[in-house]
Amino acid sequence: MNTPQPALENNQENYAANADGYFGTYGGSYLPDFLINPIAEVAAAYAEARQDPKFIEEYQALLKQYVGRPSLLYPAERLTAHCGGARIYLKREDLNHTGAHKINHCLGEALLAKHMGKTTLIAETGAGQHGVALATAAALVGLKCEIHMGRIDVEKQHPNVMRMKLLGATVVPVDFGGRSLKEAVDSAFARYAENYQEMFFAIGSVVGPNPYPTMVRDFQSIIGIEARAQHLETEGKLPDALVACVGGGSNAMGLFNAFLGDDVQIYGVEPAGKGLHTGEHAATMTLGTDGVLHGMFTKVLQSEDGEPAPVHSIASGLDYPGVGPQHAHLQQMQRVNYVSVDDAQTLDAFQTLCRLEGIIPALESSHAVAYGMQLASQLSPEQTIIINLSGRGDKDVDYVGGVLGI
Ligand SMILES: *Cc1c(COP(=O)(O)O)cnc(C)c1O
């Protein structure tokens, strides 16, 4: 968001949304009547804020002073030697305050809510990562925070529930239906619709109705803006390829956006879970079909009657049956390649990064590492790739230790 100008410099506008939030045929705003006005108000406020130098300055100051940006572009030499091909750089979003990229857009959304005069941030959360990042941003900016969470997830994700509460958020357990993420979304939206005068709905990825896919991408675009400048400075040229994992697609869009007009190969990595043919995966771009989900027209993993399909990934941040509409568009334009790696390859990459670089990656990010390692080995030593290390893996160590039996 800080620089719509570079967009013009390198042709990103070819890939931007139109005034109604459509990236080509994908995106838009598909809402029940009771949400049309609240979301239109957010769109209008964001259109104003992204042109407001004071808002942008305030946001950039938080990224610098609070998140700790710029994050490092780290040359992973032992990983490079292990793969025996292109030089591998890691964009270290794991070093951000709270340990992942999510804080970038949560701070942006919190600031916008404050500018709109709202008192409360509201959202749903599944594994709790979005809830924790949002509760953090709310505390910093001085807003109340209400997080809806399925009862089953509340029980499974105890540490994140504690974090949210310690940060001052109210956690609302949802007890109807499957008592999981889907019900948490319904519960949070119902509450928001009744209280939107005071509340701002903070979506956790580049998904949902217009303006969220554009807004969240803009708030994350700092990743690619930094990485492009850092790589130019160190290598004197652009990288040959970028790799990022894709759940909803926010860390990926954040890295990709600055490079869309460049001659750079781009790869989005989805979770193949237990295998693309097992039905237990979340490879939306690879196997999904066009449909409407959570207020947007996009690729969806769905049953024949249009219900979102059950999904699986070893990384809970990636098990989403939809994807941001800009990704669907970038696939259609053949600008980004969408590939997948399975749970076993992911675990392997997780351990490799631990042992060769002393970095414990999030299981989500380990998908990007797994594909990046394969890709690097096929390229030559004069070439370079950037892998987005979207988050750190402290949250995953008990689970991985259990799977490995250590
Ligand atoms: C939430 C999360 C993701 C997936 O979300 P995107 O919107 O696809 O980026 C990836 N990595 C980490 C570390 C996460 O916490």
Side-chain angles (χ1 to χ4, degrees):
M1 74 160 308
N2 45 353
T3 34
Q5 294 81 359
L8 300 176
E9 269 170 31
N10 77 351
N11 285 327
Q12 287 150 321
E13 80 273 18
N14 290 346
Y15 303 98
N18 70 14
D20 297 322
Y22 281 93
F23 301 89
T25 53
Y26 295 105
S29 189
Y30 296 80
L31 293 168
D33 286 348
F34 64 90
L35 285 173
I36 289 175
N37 287 338
I39 300 297
E41 189 195 346
V42 175
Y46 180 60
E48 215 171 280
R50 73 186 306 202
Q51 313 279 2
D52 175 359
K54 243 190 76 212
F55 179 84
I56 293 168
E57 207 176 292
E58 210 179 331
Y59 176 60
Q60 287 177 335
L62 290 182
L63 290 182
K64 189 167 167 201
Q65 295 161 358
Y66 186 74
V67 178
R69 305 204 70 92
S71 67
L72 295 174
L73 185 70
Y74 164 74
E77 290 184 7
R78 283 185 19 96
L79 187 66
T80 297
H82 174 76
C83 297
R87 269 199 303 291
I88 300 172
Y89 286 88
L90 302 175
K91 182 58 174 162
R92 298 290 306 274
E93 293 301 297
D94 61 313
L95 296 178
N96 295 341
H97 174 53
T98 67
H101 70 288
K102 285 193 174 74
I103 191 70
N104 298 331
H105 67 245
C106 285
L107 281 176
E109 290 183 298
L111 264 191
L112 182 62
K114 199 172 168 191
H115 275 245
M116 291 171 74
K118 307 294 182 188
T119 62
T120 307
L121 295 173
I122 183 167
E124 82 291 342
T125 196
Q129 298 301 113
H130 176 51
V132 171
L134 195 65
T136 303
L140 179 72
V141 171
L143 295 172
K144 289 185 273 187
C145 186
E146 184 176 310
I147 304 293
H148 292 237
M149 197 170 181
R151 174 74 68 183
I152 290 175
D153 292 326
V154 170
E155 281 157 19
K156 274 208 308 219
Q157 308 289 345
H158 186 70
N160 278 342
V161 174
M162 283 300 123
R163 286 185 185 104
M164 286 184 265
K165 289 184 175 172
L166 287 167
L167 291 162
T170 306
V171 178
V172 179
V174 176
D175 273 318
F176 59 86
R179 296 179 294 152
S180 188
L181 181 62
K182 185 168 172 288
E183 291 75 24
V185 173
D186 294 343
S187 169
F189 267 116
R191 171 102 167 121
Y192 170 64
E194 280 169 22
N195 298 279
Y196 77 93
Q197 272 85 358
E198 298 98 63
M199 289 184 166
F200 181 95
F201 200 100
I203 293 182
S205 188
V206 287
V207 300
N210 184 50
Y212 288 90
T214 294
M215 177 169 73
V216 171
R217 178 206 65 200
D218 289 350
F219 288 136
Q220 288 295 348
S221 66
I222 187 68
I223 299 174
I225 291 169
E226 285 175 7
R228 196 172 182 279
Q230 288 166 321
H231 192 282
L232 276 172
E233 177 160 339
T234 331
E235 290 278 344
K237 58 170 187 170
L238 290 172
D240 294 278
L242 310 175
V243 184
C245 67
V246 177
S250 65
N251 85 87
M253 274 321 308
L255 176 64
F256 299 168
N257 197 52
F259 296 89
L260 290 177
D262 296 324
D263 183 17
V264 172
Q265 295 286 314
I266 306 182
Y267 298 88
V269 187
E270 296 194 300
K274 295 181 181 171
L276 292 179
H277 306 292
T278 64
E280 294 190 59
H281 59 76
T284 312
M285 298 294 299
T286 311
L287 294 175
T289 51
D290 289 356
V292 171
L293 178 72
H294 296 151
M296 59 183 163
F297 182 68
T298 188
K299 290 274 185 222
V300 185
L301 287 169
Q302 55 194 335
S303 64
E304 269 163 32
D305 55 1
E307 279 298 304
V311 284
H312 162 83
S313 166
I314 194 171
S316 54
L318 301 183
D319 60 0
Y320 181 60
V323 66
Q326 191 169 8
H327 285 288
H329 179 54
L330 289 167
Q331 183 187 48
Q332 193 175 46
M333 302 274 285
Q334 301 185 345
R335 176 64 192 94
V336 176
N337 308 293
Y338 292 88
V339 296
S340 61
V341 303
D342 66 20
D343 290 350
Q345 293 169 299
T346 300
L347 274 172
D348 193 56
F350 178 101
Q351 293 174 83
T352 304
L353 202 65
C354 287
R355 295 191 179 183
L356 290 184
E357 297 288 351
I359 297 170
I360 302 178
L363 281 169
E364 290 82 1
S365 323
S366 301
H367 284 75
V369 175
Y371 189 78
M373 286 167 58
Q374 285 176 29
L375 181 67
S377 69
Q378 293 155 15
L379 301 179
S380 72
E382 306 82 62
Q383 294 181 292
T384 64
I385 72 172
I386 297 176
I387 300 174
N388 204 16
L389 206 67
S390 55
R392 67 178 184 224
D394 305 47
K395 66 185 180 59
D396 299 316
V397 295
D398 284 340
Y399 175 78
V400 174
V403 172
L404 300 177
I406 54 177

